[in-house]
Amino acid sequence: MRIPAKVPGLRFLTVLMVGYGAVWMSLEGGMVRVLVMGVGITAVSLLYTWQKWFGGRMMSKKRWLVLTAVSGLAFGTSSGILTLIFMAVKTGIHAHGPEFTPSQIEWVLRQIPFWAVAGCVAGLGIGLVGIGRFR
């Protein structure tokens, strides 16, 4: 497997998330908006990491599968953690009381293990599709 030196669409996705972040700061808190922020920033960060560390390199199918599975695990876990961080940031910025209820915060905390497993399975699936596509 050869990983592309440049991730296609990464610049566009970065500009999109920067614009979303600017709009997100001015809006009141909302679960969907904060989830989009957490997942989006995680995706952009993970793709930049892939591009920097693995771009243009060849790797075996086994290593490719391990890399995609671990990346999916990191994506799922980091999405939850970043969502919690953005929830705290949003509450601190507006400074007029909590933006999110304790039940919303608990829900995100309870979801992190599920998102981690789902990310790992999705990463493994993406890895298998990549092997099949570039055969």
Side-chain angles (χ1 to χ4, degrees):
M1 292 288 313
R2 178 174 294 280
I3 297 176
K6 295 277 186 183
V7 175
L10 184 54
R11 182 172 291 177
F12 173 74
L13 186 59
T14 302
V15 169
L16 188 68
M17 284 310 303
V18 168
Y20 181 80
V23 171
W24 175 79
M25 287 289 209
S26 65
L27 299 173
E28 290 295 318
M31 277 303 288
V32 172
R33 288 189 287 255
V34 76
L35 284 168
V36 169
M37 190 68 177
V39 170
I41 296 298
T42 301
V44 168
S45 300
L46 190 60
L47 289 171
Y48 270 111
T49 301
W50 263 63
Q51 184 172 284
K52 180 178 179 180
W53 288 4
F54 305 110
R57 293 189 181 186
M58 284 289 295
M59 61 179 56
S60 68
K61 292 177 185 177
K62 181 180 177 182
R63 188 166 181 211
W64 166 255
L65 284 177
V66 169
L67 180 63
T68 57
V70 169
S71 293
L73 178 71
F75 178 74
T77 305
S78 299
S79 292
I81 293 169
L82 262 177
T83 298
L84 288 170
I85 290 170
F86 285 129
M87 290 170 98
V89 166
K90 187 69 156 175
T91 298
I93 287 174
H94 283 194
H96 59 68
E99 295 276 331
F100 302 96
T101 65
S103 63
Q104 289 174 318
I105 295 168
E106 287 176 27
W107 180 83
V108 173
L109 278 169
R110 286 193 312 266
Q111 297 310 305
I112 292 174
F114 298 112
W115 293 348
V117 170
C120 185
V121 171
L124 189 58
I126 289 169
L128 289 170
V129 167
I131 288 173
R133 185 170 178 214
F134 296 110
R135 194 169 250 198

